[in-house]
Amino acid sequence: MDTEEERLEGQVEIWEHMLAFFDSMALKCAVELGIPDIINSHDRPVTISEVINNLPTTTSSPDTIDYLTRIMRLLVRKRIFASQVDKESNETYYGLTPSSKWLLKESRFNLSPFVLLNLDPWLLKPWQYMAECVKDGGLPFEKAHGAEIWDFASANPQCNRLINDGMRCATEIIINAMLVKYKDGFNGIESLVDVGGGTGTMITEIVKANPHIRGINFDLPHVVATAPEQLGVEDVGGDMLVDIPEADAVIIKWILHDWGDEDCVKILRNCRKAIAKKKNGKVINVDCALRPDGDGSFDKTGLALDLTMMAHTSGGKERTEAEWKMLLNDAGFSRYNIIQIQAFPSIIEAFPSSL
């Protein structure tokens, strides 16, 4: 029999879970209004009036002060912003925290585009179909929009831009963390192919940090056609499910979690073929190594993003170490290392069995 205290605690937890999306919506509001940048531009804590005077609008309604004060009150409670009351004027001043500094648009490492991507109505709508898909099967995104996400994005430039901007900002953060933690991992590599490299952001940064590497940015022809020319990087169009250019090593970031197991094995086998002629060839897979019971910094995030893959892709998932081991073995990789970095994904370094 539950005690009265346990029953109350259970009720509180349900309320918190039920209303958790309010936190997300308040965060989105702050990003859309540019509040972190407004505070940062003053180089000191600011009042609500100072925020309002710098909003990207020509008019303000009578409700503006009330609305914004209440939104900031919640975001202070969630440690997105800090607040302090001036004893003389009794006015509240709002400042940045380590969290809101990740939302500054002028910062190289800025998560604002990723916030706007994940909280956009297009990407929120599929979540309404999760229970239906559990009961009847199907894809939440397709049920919500009548098409799979990549087809939908190609037909909707605004959605495509949201996805590209969100992935670009996340990539920059991941690359920086990778170049710090894994810098010795590129020693001895003369050629490196980035599979699914998009417009070449990652391979370009790797080559800049490792000028001895000849970089190959590999993606679908229409994708690499838009990639800017970069010193030391060659853009190659193709299909990773068919063939991958030869190189000393392959890097593949946040690609395999978009695909089901069968396609992942096919892609990994093509990666293995690409490095088959190299004595010390390897695949550098930058992806989540899910730890459902873990208490690390990003373990809870991994579980949430696993459901995101369910909501937005056809067969995508975040995988545990045991699941990665199975896929790697099926694709002909006998050894692997998992290396943690100061970002959400890990580096799963895989070495092939002898051919």
Side-chain angles (χ1 to χ4, degrees), residues 24-37 75 80-81 102-105 110-116 119:
S24 300
M25 292 299 102
L27 174 63
K28 182 189 179 191
C29 175
V31 170
E32 289 179 324
L33 295 174
I35 293 174
D37 299 289
L75 291 175
I80 302 299
F81 297 107
W102 282 93
L103 303 173
L104 297 174
K105 292 175 183 175
N110 166 28
L111 279 168
S112 287
F114 211 56
V115 170
L116 297 178
L119 300 178

Short mmCIF file of all heavy atoms in Angstrom, two decimals, residues 24-37 75 80-81 102-105 110-116 119:
data_model
loop_
_atom_site.label_atom_id
_atom_site.label_comp_id
_atom_site.label_asym_id
_atom_site.label_seq_id
_atom_site.Cartn_x
_atom_site.Cartn_y
_atom_site.Cartn_z
N SER A 24 9.58 23.80 -22.89
CA SER A 24 10.11 23.84 -24.26
C SER A 24 9.53 25.02 -25.03
O SER A 24 10.24 25.71 -25.78
CB SER A 24 9.78 22.54 -25.00
OG SER A 24 10.35 21.43 -24.35
N MET A 25 8.23 25.27 -24.86
CA MET A 25 7.60 26.36 -25.59
C MET A 25 8.10 27.72 -25.10
O MET A 25 8.27 28.66 -25.89
CB MET A 25 6.08 26.28 -25.45
CG MET A 25 5.46 25.08 -26.16
SD MET A 25 5.73 25.09 -27.96
CE MET A 25 7.05 23.88 -28.12
N ALA A 26 8.35 27.84 -23.80
CA ALA A 26 8.90 29.08 -23.27
C ALA A 26 10.31 29.29 -23.80
O ALA A 26 10.71 30.43 -24.14
CB ALA A 26 8.90 29.06 -21.74
N LEU A 27 11.08 28.21 -23.88
CA LEU A 27 12.43 28.29 -24.45
C LEU A 27 12.38 28.72 -25.91
O LEU A 27 13.15 29.61 -26.34
CB LEU A 27 13.11 26.93 -24.32
CG LEU A 27 14.49 26.78 -24.98
CD1 LEU A 27 15.49 27.73 -24.32
CD2 LEU A 27 14.97 25.34 -24.90
N LYS A 28 11.48 28.12 -26.68
CA LYS A 28 11.34 28.50 -28.08
C LYS A 28 10.98 29.97 -28.21
O LYS A 28 11.52 30.69 -29.08
CB LYS A 28 10.27 27.63 -28.75
CG LYS A 28 10.09 27.94 -30.24
CD LYS A 28 8.88 27.24 -30.82
CE LYS A 28 8.73 27.58 -32.30
NZ LYS A 28 7.44 27.13 -32.85
N CYS A 29 10.08 30.44 -27.38
CA CYS A 29 9.67 31.85 -27.39
C CYS A 29 10.88 32.76 -27.17
O CYS A 29 11.06 33.76 -27.88
CB CYS A 29 8.62 32.09 -26.32
SG CYS A 29 8.11 33.81 -26.14
N ALA A 30 11.71 32.42 -26.20
CA ALA A 30 12.89 33.24 -25.91
C ALA A 30 13.85 33.28 -27.09
O ALA A 30 14.44 34.32 -27.40
CB ALA A 30 13.59 32.71 -24.66
N VAL A 31 14.00 32.14 -27.76
CA VAL A 31 14.89 32.08 -28.93
C VAL A 31 14.30 32.89 -30.08
O VAL A 31 15.01 33.66 -30.75
CB VAL A 31 15.11 30.62 -29.35
CG1 VAL A 31 15.83 30.54 -30.71
CG2 VAL A 31 15.94 29.88 -28.29
N GLU A 32 13.00 32.73 -30.33
CA GLU A 32 12.36 33.46 -31.42
C GLU A 32 12.44 34.97 -31.21
O GLU A 32 12.60 35.74 -32.17
CB GLU A 32 10.91 33.03 -31.57
CG GLU A 32 10.75 31.62 -32.12
CD GLU A 32 9.30 31.19 -32.23
OE1 GLU A 32 8.49 31.58 -31.36
OE2 GLU A 32 8.98 30.47 -33.17
N LEU A 33 12.34 35.41 -29.96
CA LEU A 33 12.41 36.84 -29.66
C LEU A 33 13.85 37.35 -29.59
O LEU A 33 14.08 38.56 -29.53
CB LEU A 33 11.71 37.14 -28.34
CG LEU A 33 10.19 36.90 -28.32
CD1 LEU A 33 9.64 37.10 -26.91
CD2 LEU A 33 9.48 37.83 -29.30
N GLY A 34 14.81 36.42 -29.56
CA GLY A 34 16.21 36.82 -29.49
C GLY A 34 16.62 37.37 -28.13
O GLY A 34 17.54 38.18 -28.03
N ILE A 35 15.97 36.91 -27.07
CA ILE A 35 16.23 37.45 -25.73
C ILE A 35 17.68 37.21 -25.28
O ILE A 35 18.32 38.13 -24.73
CB ILE A 35 15.22 36.90 -24.71
CG1 ILE A 35 13.82 37.45 -25.04
CG2 ILE A 35 15.61 37.29 -23.28
CD1 ILE A 35 12.71 36.88 -24.19
N PRO A 36 18.25 36.01 -25.48
CA PRO A 36 19.67 35.85 -25.09
C PRO A 36 20.58 36.87 -25.77
O PRO A 36 21.49 37.42 -25.14
CB PRO A 36 19.99 34.42 -25.54
CG PRO A 36 18.67 33.72 -25.52
CD PRO A 36 17.69 34.74 -25.99
N ASP A 37 20.33 37.15 -27.06
CA ASP A 37 21.17 38.10 -27.79
C ASP A 37 20.95 39.53 -27.29
O ASP A 37 21.90 40.33 -27.26
CB ASP A 37 20.87 38.01 -29.28
CG ASP A 37 21.17 36.63 -29.83
OD1 ASP A 37 22.35 36.28 -29.92
OD2 ASP A 37 20.23 35.89 -30.15
N LEU A 75 11.55 30.69 -17.05
CA LEU A 75 12.87 30.35 -17.59
C LEU A 75 13.98 30.59 -16.57
O LEU A 75 15.02 29.93 -16.62
CB LEU A 75 13.13 31.14 -18.87
CG LEU A 75 12.24 30.72 -20.06
CD1 LEU A 75 12.48 31.62 -21.25
CD2 LEU A 75 12.49 29.26 -20.44
N ILE A 80 17.52 28.81 -17.32
CA ILE A 80 17.91 29.30 -18.64
C ILE A 80 18.44 30.73 -18.50
O ILE A 80 19.39 31.13 -19.19
CB ILE A 80 16.72 29.27 -19.62
CG1 ILE A 80 16.16 27.85 -19.74
CG2 ILE A 80 17.12 29.81 -20.99
CD1 ILE A 80 17.16 26.84 -20.28
N PHE A 81 17.83 31.51 -17.64
CA PHE A 81 18.30 32.86 -17.32
C PHE A 81 18.48 32.99 -15.81
O PHE A 81 17.96 32.19 -15.04
CB PHE A 81 17.30 33.92 -17.82
CG PHE A 81 17.12 33.93 -19.31
CD1 PHE A 81 15.95 33.44 -19.88
CD2 PHE A 81 18.11 34.43 -20.14
CE1 PHE A 81 15.78 33.44 -21.25
CE2 PHE A 81 17.96 34.44 -21.51
CZ PHE A 81 16.79 33.94 -22.08
N TRP A 102 24.50 29.12 -24.77
CA TRP A 102 24.46 28.21 -25.92
C TRP A 102 23.40 28.63 -26.93
O TRP A 102 23.19 27.96 -27.94
CB TRP A 102 24.18 26.78 -25.44
CG TRP A 102 25.38 26.10 -24.86
CD1 TRP A 102 25.74 26.07 -23.55
CD2 TRP A 102 26.38 25.37 -25.57
NE1 TRP A 102 26.89 25.35 -23.39
CE2 TRP A 102 27.31 24.91 -24.62
CE3 TRP A 102 26.57 25.05 -26.91
CZ2 TRP A 102 28.43 24.16 -24.97
CZ3 TRP A 102 27.68 24.29 -27.26
CH2 TRP A 102 28.59 23.86 -26.30
N LEU A 103 22.72 29.74 -26.68
CA LEU A 103 21.65 30.21 -27.57
C LEU A 103 22.01 31.51 -28.28
O LEU A 103 21.17 32.09 -28.96
CB LEU A 103 20.36 30.40 -26.77
CG LEU A 103 19.84 29.18 -26.02
CD1 LEU A 103 18.66 29.55 -25.13
CD2 LEU A 103 19.45 28.07 -26.99
N LEU A 104 23.24 31.97 -28.12
CA LEU A 104 23.66 33.24 -28.72
C LEU A 104 23.94 33.07 -30.20
O LEU A 104 24.78 32.26 -30.60
CB LEU A 104 24.90 33.77 -28.00
CG LEU A 104 24.71 34.11 -26.51
CD1 LEU A 104 26.03 34.50 -25.87
CD2 LEU A 104 23.69 35.23 -26.35
N LYS A 105 23.26 33.84 -31.02
CA LYS A 105 23.36 33.68 -32.48
C LYS A 105 24.73 34.04 -33.01
O LYS A 105 25.15 33.52 -34.04
CB LYS A 105 22.27 34.51 -33.16
CG LYS A 105 20.88 33.98 -32.89
CD LYS A 105 19.80 34.87 -33.47
CE LYS A 105 18.42 34.33 -33.10
NZ LYS A 105 17.33 35.23 -33.53
N ASN A 110 26.18 27.45 -31.31
CA ASN A 110 24.87 28.02 -31.03
C ASN A 110 23.79 26.98 -31.31
O ASN A 110 23.64 26.52 -32.44
CB ASN A 110 24.68 29.26 -31.93
CG ASN A 110 23.24 29.73 -31.98
OD1 ASN A 110 22.47 29.53 -31.04
ND2 ASN A 110 22.86 30.34 -33.09
N LEU A 111 23.04 26.64 -30.28
CA LEU A 111 22.00 25.61 -30.41
C LEU A 111 20.64 26.17 -30.79
O LEU A 111 19.67 25.40 -30.92
CB LEU A 111 21.89 24.81 -29.12
CG LEU A 111 22.92 23.70 -28.92
CD1 LEU A 111 22.89 23.17 -27.49
CD2 LEU A 111 22.70 22.56 -29.91
N SER A 112 20.53 27.47 -30.99
CA SER A 112 19.22 28.07 -31.31
C SER A 112 18.56 27.42 -32.53
O SER A 112 17.36 27.11 -32.50
CB SER A 112 19.36 29.58 -31.53
OG SER A 112 19.57 30.23 -30.31
N PRO A 113 19.29 27.20 -33.65
CA PRO A 113 18.64 26.57 -34.81
C PRO A 113 18.11 25.17 -34.50
O PRO A 113 17.09 24.75 -35.06
CB PRO A 113 19.75 26.52 -35.87
CG PRO A 113 20.67 27.63 -35.49
CD PRO A 113 20.66 27.63 -33.99
N PHE A 114 18.79 24.45 -33.60
CA PHE A 114 18.34 23.10 -33.25
C PHE A 114 17.09 23.17 -32.38
O PHE A 114 16.21 22.32 -32.47
CB PHE A 114 19.47 22.35 -32.54
CG PHE A 114 19.45 20.86 -32.77
CD1 PHE A 114 19.47 20.34 -34.06
CD2 PHE A 114 19.41 19.98 -31.71
CE1 PHE A 114 19.45 18.97 -34.28
CE2 PHE A 114 19.39 18.61 -31.91
CZ PHE A 114 19.41 18.11 -33.21
N VAL A 115 17.01 24.19 -31.53
CA VAL A 115 15.80 24.42 -30.74
C VAL A 115 14.61 24.69 -31.66
O VAL A 115 13.54 24.08 -31.53
CB VAL A 115 16.00 25.61 -29.76
CG1 VAL A 115 14.67 26.00 -29.11
CG2 VAL A 115 17.02 25.27 -28.69
N LEU A 116 14.80 25.59 -32.62
CA LEU A 116 13.71 25.96 -33.54
C LEU A 116 13.31 24.78 -34.41
O LEU A 116 12.13 24.62 -34.74
CB LEU A 116 14.14 27.15 -34.39
CG LEU A 116 14.42 28.44 -33.62
CD1 LEU A 116 14.87 29.54 -34.56
CD2 LEU A 116 13.19 28.89 -32.83
N LEU A 119 11.27 22.12 -32.21
CA LEU A 119 10.02 22.63 -31.66
C LEU A 119 9.14 23.26 -32.72
O LEU A 119 8.14 23.91 -32.39
CB LEU A 119 10.32 23.62 -30.53
CG LEU A 119 11.12 23.04 -29.35
CD1 LEU A 119 11.40 24.10 -28.31
CD2 LEU A 119 10.40 21.85 -28.73
#
